[in-house]
Amino acid sequence: MKKNDFTFIVGLTLLAGVIWVIGEIIMGMWIAVYWWVPIVWRVLVVVGTLAVSVWHSFKYDEDFKNYDDDEKHKK
C-alpha cells in the first residue's frame, strides 16, 4: 500500500465520520424524524464510503495494470 492510498483511506474515513455526525445532529436537534431514519442514514453513509473506496481502488488498479504491461515489454 502506498502512502497516497493510506492518506486517501484515512481522509475518506474522517470525512464520512464528519458527515455522519452532522446528519445525526441535524436529525436530533432540528428535524423530527421516525425512529428508523438514523439507521438508514448510518447505512447510507457506510455504503457511500465503501462505494467511493472501491471506485478509487479500481481507478488506480488500471494505472498499475498499464505499469505492469510496460515492465513486461521492457524485458
Side-chain angles (χ1 to χ4, degrees):
M1 180 184 307
K2 295 193 315 187
K3 184 179 179 183
N4 290 341
D5 294 336
F6 182 74
T7 304
F8 177 79
I9 291 169
V10 170
L12 181 64
T13 303
L14 290 174
L15 180 64
V18 168
I19 290 171
W20 174 66
V21 167
I22 289 172
E24 288 287 334
I25 290 171
I26 289 172
M27 285 185 279
M29 296 179 113
W30 293 299
I31 301 174
V33 294
Y34 294 108
W35 63 270
W36 51 268
V37 174
I39 296 169
V40 172
W41 174 247
R42 188 175 304 139
V43 169
L44 287 175
V45 169
V46 169
V47 169
T49 303
L50 291 174
V52 170
S53 179
V54 168
W55 169 79
H56 183 264
S57 68
F58 281 142
K59 178 180 162 188
Y60 282 99
D61 276 348
E62 292 175 3
D63 293 342
F64 286 123
K65 185 170 43 172
N66 292 337
Y67 178 76
D68 290 341
D69 289 343
D70 291 342
E71 289 296 320
K72 289 178 185 176
H73 289 122
K74 286 182 181 179
K75 291 183 178 179

